[in-house]
Amino acid sequence: CSSATMAFLVCMRGMNRALFDLIEEPEVVHAIMEKGAAIAVEKGKFNIDLGLKVLRLNDSVGNMSVISPDHWRQFVFPHMKEVCDALHAYDPEARIYCHVCGNILPIAEDLVETGLDGIGPLDPLGGFTPAQVRERVGDAVSLMGGVNTLTFLDGTPGQIVEESVACMEQAGDRGGYVLCSGCVVTRG
């Protein structure tokens, strides 16, 4: 169902202006995110009607490597929750996961509270491990990712396997886990 919050704001305003808006124009931020949430809900319903049961929210810039946990809770949380609530009401069997790059550890529990069913990509470049996220969220949601994208670029196949096994051991024992890279794998 696409982007609804920070990624939508950045698309509308550009990165620099969007970050200043969080401080200087909070009403504008909420108004833009309300539109983003409404669009995401309609896209989600459309995809559900097509038969899709797993929907993806993208909030690549809504992470603690870019904004503060307080800004995330003030701006992102209510609109992400709105999308999750609306789509779960539309189809209780639909599953929603969110792609959030960077550091999510300070908001891991908040991500669960939005109603997400899954969180990814557990980017280790954000400075945390899948085990730390699993410890915070318990078995409330499925997790996805955790294998360092730089290992795919610079590592050996054995190192990739080693990281993969570590991710499965850290995050896969409860709540569901999907093994994949910590974000987009580079062309190389």
Side-chain angles (χ1 to χ4, degrees), residues 149 152-154 185-188:
T149 54
F152 285 96
L153 183 63
D154 298 325
V185 176
T186 61
R187 291 182 188 197

Side-chain angles (χ1 to χ4, degrees), residues 16-104:
N16 288 340
R17 183 70 255 160
L19 293 176
F20 279 113
D21 285 346
L22 295 174
I23 297 164
E24 297 172 352
E25 301 285 346
E27 316 82 29
V28 170
V29 172
H30 282 295
I32 289 172
M33 288 186 185
E34 285 170 14
K35 293 290 184 190
I39 292 167
V41 168
E42 292 307 311
K43 284 182 175 181
K45 288 177 180 179
F46 177 80
N47 285 309
I48 289 169
D49 290 344
L50 289 176
L52 298 174
K53 294 295 184 182
V54 178
L55 305 171
R56 176 184 185 256
L57 282 173
N58 174 41
D59 203 9
S60 298
V61 292
N63 65 68
M64 303 316 94
S65 302
V66 177
I67 64 173
S68 73
D70 288 340
H71 278 131
W72 189 92
R73 290 179 185 107
Q74 178 183 354
F75 295 106
V76 177
F77 179 88
H79 302 292
M80 188 177 288
K81 181 163 180 42
E82 175 186 349
V83 172
C84 291
D85 288 349
L87 293 175
H88 283 135
Y90 190 73
D91 183 349
E93 293 181 13
R95 298 294 173 252
I96 305 164
Y97 85 94
C98 188
H99 178 105
V100 186
C101 300
N103 182 9
I104 62 157

Side-chain angles (χ1 to χ4, degrees), residues 147 151 156-170:
V147 181
T151 304
T156 66
Q159 289 170 316
I160 295 169
V161 168
E162 187 177 305
E163 275 191 44
S164 299
V165 169
C167 287
M168 289 185 286
E169 289 172 346
Q170 292 177 23

